[in-house]
Amino acid sequence: MKYIEPYMLEKMNEYLKPIDTNWQPADFLPDSSKDSFFDELKEFQENAKGLSYDLVAVLIGDTITEEALPTYESWLTMVEGVSKDEDGGWMKWLRHWTAEENRHGDLLNKYLYLSGRVDMRQMEISTQYLIADGFDIGTDRDPYRNFIYTSFQELATNISHRRVASLAKKDGDTLLSKMCGVIASDEARHAKAYKDFISQIIKVDPNEVLFAFEDMMRKKIVMPAHFMREAGTAIGHTFAHFSDAAQRLGVYTAIDYVDILKQLINDWNIESLRELNETGEKARDYLMRLPERLLRIAERIKDPRLDYKFSWIHAM
Ligand SMILES: [Fe+2]
Ligand SMILES: [Fe+2]
């Protein structure tokens, strides 16, 4: 980690955007200080009416996931082996990354509030629960597992926001489509960064990276919002329904999981890693065989039927 920190500092301006010129939620939302606000809001809500039930559910789940950012930030500060020096690569990266990510929840939350489709109180209860419940993603405080996890997650959020963008467009809400599009491109940039950090670490410590990657995949990558619930339900109850809706819509599916794994294997040139120790060799071989195995399972998964009413969504 001491090796990678100066590199993170050096690359920060490449992977994160300057704040003064970066997009902000206000760029996309009706301006409530203007006289035209109410007309704009009317049109805004008209467009939101066309969104399918599942799409609204997925959008709310995505928003709650983004809003649990305090969990992700505090988890990343607890990683072992990093300097807690505020001017060091780790803390600087972490604060600037968090600051960019914070816009995602802000924008989506305001969209949903204005859309007129959502029972905001119920959604807010879920958000408070998710932050209070935290998460258990099996990475412990190990830095390699954390970088692998974030690489995977940023790719997953890129896919899901991108798909929501195109479904929103199909349902006639081009503004929402634009919003999810800009969020998706942030996620893509972040994914590039975390993948690059792992690539750098592979150069000096391939065996341990492979071992960490194998271990993560054996345990399966758990989504950060896996504890999601609604008022009066058990921890994790709502997450299952949220991911069913995402699978049904094709926003994020078991096939996507395999595609992300393939992409990571490819980007990190896992296949061509040589001169490894026995653990490293075994991990490499396990990883190379994994996508095909998972694909066979993924192809057998049937789309879950629509049978759940979220407390978050007003009946229309
Ligand atoms: Fe995000
Ligand atoms: Fe992200």
Side-chain angles (χ1 to χ4, degrees):
M1 290 309 289
K2 279 184 188 138
Y3 164 83
I4 193 78
E5 278 194 54
Y7 184 81
M8 294 177 78
L9 205 52
E10 182 195 314
K11 289 285 179 175
M12 238 178 69
N13 295 334
E14 185 177 319
Y15 290 128
L16 299 172
K17 290 212 165 157
I19 296 172
D20 276 354
T21 49
N22 209 358
W23 67 260
Q24 297 298 336
D27 300 336
F28 299 91
L29 296 159
D31 183 346
S32 65
S33 69
K34 294 248 169 70
D35 289 340
S36 57
F37 177 69
F38 294 101
D39 289 336
E40 280 181 52
L41 184 59
K42 227 176 151 190
E43 198 193 325
F44 188 99
Q45 295 204 342
E46 268 319 305
N47 293 335
K49 274 186 190 150
L51 304 176
S52 73
Y53 187 90
D54 272 349
L55 190 57
V56 176
V58 166
L59 194 56
I60 295 171
D62 285 349
T63 305
I64 295 168
T65 308
E66 295 282 357
E67 292 279 51
L69 189 58
T71 302
Y72 319 138
E73 187 183 26
S74 56
W75 156 66
L76 287 165
T77 59
M78 291 189 298
V79 166
E80 269 167 7
V82 293
S83 87
K84 300 293 187 291
D85 172 8
E86 286 290 344
D87 293 318
W90 181 257
M91 288 309 291
K92 270 253 183 289
W93 165 268
L94 178 54
R95 291 200 191 284
H96 282 251
W97 170 82
T98 303
E100 269 203 359
E101 283 285 343
N102 189 56
R103 290 141 62 246
H104 300 171
D106 264 7
L107 176 58
L108 294 174
N109 191 315
K110 283 173 182 142
Y111 171 88
L112 290 169
Y113 167 63
L114 293 174
S115 75
R117 296 283 307 266
V118 180
D119 184 330
M120 289 303 290
R121 181 175 166 76
Q122 296 306 320
M123 172 178 144
E124 286 157 356
I125 289 173
S126 285
T127 304
Q128 186 172 350
Y129 262 125
L130 187 60
I131 295 172
D133 289 336
F135 63 4
D136 180 14
I137 50 174
T139 59
D140 207 0
R141 296 185 178 182
D142 173 57
Y144 294 2
R145 283 172 179 73
N146 283 280
F147 276 130
I148 292 164
Y149 186 81
T150 45
S151 299
F152 195 101
Q153 264 325 307
E154 299 282 11
L155 289 173
T157 49
N158 168 260
I159 291 173
S160 61
H161 288 306
R162 198 153 32 85
R163 299 254 173 81
V164 171
S166 62
L167 290 169
K169 197 171 180 185
K170 243 175 49 195
D171 288 349
D173 194 333
T174 48
L175 184 64
L176 176 61
S177 176
K178 241 187 248 167
M179 291 176 185
C180 294
V182 291
I183 294 173
S185 72
D186 276 4
E187 310 290 18
R189 206 160 19 79
H190 297 165
K192 248 192 220 164
Y194 288 116
K195 283 191 295 181
D196 183 19
F197 301 153
I198 281 287
S199 293
Q200 300 307 316
I201 299 171
I202 287 176
K203 286 183 191 164
V204 290
D205 196 6
N207 289 300
E208 285 297 316
V209 172
L210 280 166
F211 182 59
F213 194 10
E214 177 195 4
D215 182 57
M216 297 285 300
M217 295 314 301
R218 280 190 190 277
K219 290 176 183 153
K220 294 197 186 70
I221 305 281
V222 179
M223 291 298 127
H226 66 129
F227 282 162
M228 191 182 286
R229 55 164 128 178
E230 291 154 275
T233 69
I235 191 165
H237 167 90
T238 308
F239 180 75
H241 295 293
F242 161 55
S243 60
D244 277 0
Q247 170 90 28
R248 211 158 37 224
L249 277 179
V251 162
Y252 183 76
T253 68
I255 306 269
D256 293 321
Y257 184 95
V258 184
D259 282 343
I260 292 171
L261 172 61
K262 278 199 233 165
Q263 200 182 325
L264 293 176
I265 288 171
N266 206 36
D267 288 349
W268 291 332
N269 292 312
I270 301 292
E271 188 169 21
S272 57
L273 292 178
R274 292 289 176 273
E275 288 167 50
L276 302 166
N277 64 25
E278 206 189 316
T279 318
E281 293 237 342
K282 273 192 185 150
R284 180 197 61 204
D285 297 344
Y286 170 81
L287 289 164
M288 291 311 300
R289 282 193 303 267
L290 189 58
E292 210 177 308
R293 270 180 43 203
L294 290 179
L295 203 58
R296 280 201 298 273
I297 301 167
E299 279 165 353
R300 262 181 269 142
I301 293 176
K302 290 218 174 64
D303 279 356
R305 279 179 301 119
L306 177 75
D307 60 352
Y308 187 73
K309 290 279 167 240
F310 292 90
S311 63
W312 305 325
I313 304 174
H314 289 307
M316 291 241 307

